PDB file of all heavy atoms in Angstrom:
ATOM      1  N   ARG A 426     146.160 249.174  48.183  1.00 83.00           N
ATOM      2  CA  ARG A 426     145.513 248.780  46.940  1.00 83.00           C
ATOM      3  C   ARG A 426     146.131 249.479  45.732  1.00 83.00           C
ATOM      4  O   ARG A 426     145.427 249.831  44.772  1.00 83.00           O
ATOM      5  CB  ARG A 426     144.004 249.042  47.001  1.00 83.00           C
ATOM      6  CG  ARG A 426     143.280 248.308  48.077  1.00 83.00           C
ATOM      7  CD  ARG A 426     141.761 248.416  47.982  1.00 83.00           C
ATOM      8  NE  ARG A 426     141.266 247.843  46.737  1.00 83.00           N
ATOM      9  CZ  ARG A 426     141.002 246.517  46.539  1.00 83.00           C
ATOM     10  NH1 ARG A 426     141.247 245.718  47.546  1.00 83.00           N
ATOM     11  NH2 ARG A 426     140.501 246.074  45.423  1.00 83.00           N
ATOM     12  N   SER A 427     147.442 249.659  45.794  1.00 84.00           N
ATOM     13  CA  SER A 427     148.140 250.265  44.664  1.00 84.00           C
ATOM     14  C   SER A 427     148.341 249.232  43.576  1.00 84.00           C
ATOM     15  O   SER A 427     148.282 248.019  43.804  1.00 84.00           O
ATOM     16  CB  SER A 427     149.518 250.829  45.085  1.00 84.00           C
ATOM     17  OG  SER A 427     150.318 249.782  45.644  1.00 84.00           O
ATOM     18  N   ALA A 428     148.559 249.710  42.363  1.00 88.00           N
ATOM     19  CA  ALA A 428     148.694 248.827  41.210  1.00 88.00           C
ATOM     20  C   ALA A 428     150.092 248.213  41.160  1.00 88.00           C
ATOM     21  O   ALA A 428     151.088 248.879  41.427  1.00 88.00           O
ATOM     22  CB  ALA A 428     148.392 249.584  39.936  1.00 88.00           C
ATOM     23  N   ILE A 429     150.156 246.896  40.837  1.00 89.00           N
ATOM     24  CA  ILE A 429     151.405 246.210  40.604  1.00 89.00           C
ATOM     25  C   ILE A 429     151.407 245.682  39.193  1.00 89.00           C
ATOM     26  O   ILE A 429     150.422 245.126  38.735  1.00 89.00           O
ATOM     27  CB  ILE A 429     151.553 245.033  41.615  1.00 89.00           C
ATOM     28  CG1 ILE A 429     151.595 245.522  43.045  1.00 89.00           C
ATOM     29  CG2 ILE A 429     152.822 244.245  41.290  1.00 89.00           C
ATOM     30  CD1 ILE A 429     151.619 244.364  44.046  1.00 89.00           C
ATOM     31  N   THR A 430     152.518 245.899  38.515  1.00 93.00           N
ATOM     32  CA  THR A 430     152.640 245.421  37.115  1.00 93.00           C
ATOM     33  C   THR A 430     153.668 244.310  37.056  1.00 93.00           C
ATOM     34  O   THR A 430     154.802 244.478  37.548  1.00 93.00           O
ATOM     35  CB  THR A 430     153.000 246.534  36.184  1.00 93.00           C
ATOM     36  OG1 THR A 430     151.979 247.571  36.244  1.00 93.00           O
ATOM     37  CG2 THR A 430     153.116 246.035  34.721  1.00 93.00           C
ATOM     38  N   THR A 431     153.292 243.200  36.439  1.00 92.00           N
ATOM     39  CA  THR A 431     154.217 242.083  36.262  1.00 92.00           C
ATOM     40  C   THR A 431     154.129 241.537  34.847  1.00 92.00           C
ATOM     41  O   THR A 431     153.180 241.853  34.119  1.00 92.00           O
ATOM     42  CB  THR A 431     153.903 240.906  37.210  1.00 92.00           C
ATOM     43  OG1 THR A 431     152.663 240.286  36.822  1.00 92.00           O
ATOM     44  CG2 THR A 431     153.797 241.376  38.639  1.00 92.00           C
ATOM     45  N   HIS A 432     155.097 240.753  34.434  1.00 94.00           N
ATOM     46  CA  HIS A 432     155.023 240.010  33.184  1.00 94.00           C
ATOM     47  C   HIS A 432     154.727 238.565  33.537  1.00 94.00           C
ATOM     48  O   HIS A 432     155.538 237.891  34.203  1.00 94.00           O
ATOM     49  CB  HIS A 432     156.357 240.108  32.444  1.00 94.00           C
ATOM     50  CG  HIS A 432     156.618 241.443  31.803  1.00 94.00           C
ATOM     51  ND1 HIS A 432     157.771 241.810  31.259  1.00 94.00           N
ATOM     52  CD2 HIS A 432     155.772 242.504  31.696  1.00 94.00           C
ATOM     53  CE1 HIS A 432     157.704 243.072  30.809  1.00 94.00           C
ATOM     54  NE2 HIS A 432     156.479 243.499  31.060  1.00 94.00           N
ATOM     55  N   THR A 433     153.601 238.063  33.105  1.00 94.00           N
ATOM     56  CA  THR A 433     153.219 236.694  33.435  1.00 94.00           C
ATOM     57  C   THR A 433     153.887 235.675  32.523  1.00 94.00           C
ATOM     58  O   THR A 433     154.282 236.002  31.387  1.00 94.00           O
ATOM     59  CB  THR A 433     151.686 236.509  33.320  1.00 94.00           C
ATOM     60  OG1 THR A 433     151.312 236.532  31.931  1.00 94.00           O
ATOM     61  CG2 THR A 433     150.955 237.605  34.074  1.00 94.00           C
ATOM     62  N   THR A 434     153.961 234.458  32.973  1.00 95.00           N
ATOM     63  CA  THR A 434     154.359 233.314  32.133  1.00 95.00           C
ATOM     64  C   THR A 434     153.323 232.230  32.354  1.00 95.00           C
ATOM     65  O   THR A 434     153.062 231.799  33.481  1.00 95.00           O
ATOM     66  CB  THR A 434     155.733 232.777  32.550  1.00 95.00           C
ATOM     67  OG1 THR A 434     156.702 233.823  32.407  1.00 95.00           O
ATOM     68  CG2 THR A 434     156.118 231.611  31.682  1.00 95.00           C
ATOM     69  N   GLU A 435     152.670 231.791  31.264  1.00 97.00           N
ATOM     70  CA  GLU A 435     151.593 230.857  31.335  1.00 97.00           C
ATOM     71  C   GLU A 435     151.803 229.757  30.276  1.00 97.00           C
ATOM     72  O   GLU A 435     152.160 230.057  29.152  1.00 97.00           O
ATOM     73  CB  GLU A 435     150.260 231.548  31.103  1.00 97.00           C
ATOM     74  CG  GLU A 435     149.952 232.657  32.101  1.00 97.00           C
ATOM     75  CD  GLU A 435     149.052 233.730  31.531  1.00 97.00           C
ATOM     76  OE1 GLU A 435     148.577 233.547  30.396  1.00 97.00           O
ATOM     77  OE2 GLU A 435     148.869 234.772  32.229  1.00 97.00           O
ATOM     78  N   ILE A 436     151.579 228.518  30.694  1.00 98.00           N
ATOM     79  CA  ILE A 436     151.553 227.399  29.747  1.00 98.00           C
ATOM     80  C   ILE A 436     150.119 226.885  29.677  1.00 98.00           C
ATOM     81  O   ILE A 436     149.484 226.626  30.702  1.00 98.00           O
ATOM     82  CB  ILE A 436     152.508 226.268  30.207  1.00 98.00           C
ATOM     83  CG1 ILE A 436     153.954 226.781  30.174  1.00 98.00           C
ATOM     84  CG2 ILE A 436     152.371 225.080  29.266  1.00 98.00           C
ATOM     85  CD1 ILE A 436     154.953 225.783  30.720  1.00 98.00           C
ATOM     86  N   LEU A 437     149.582 226.861  28.479  1.00 98.00           N
ATOM     87  CA  LEU A 437     148.196 226.467  28.269  1.00 98.00           C
ATOM     88  C   LEU A 437     148.172 225.143  27.456  1.00 98.00           C
ATOM     89  O   LEU A 437     149.128 224.830  26.748  1.00 98.00           O
ATOM     90  CB  LEU A 437     147.435 227.514  27.479  1.00 98.00           C
ATOM     91  CG  LEU A 437     147.688 229.011  27.733  1.00 98.00           C
ATOM     92  CD1 LEU A 437     146.826 229.880  26.860  1.00 98.00           C
ATOM     93  CD2 LEU A 437     147.503 229.338  29.212  1.00 98.00           C
TER      94      LEU A 437
END
Side-chain angles (χ1 to χ4, degrees):
R426 299 188 65 80
S427 59
I429 298 174
T430 300
T431 69
H432 287 170
T433 71
T434 300
E435 300 152 7
I436 297 176
L437 322 180

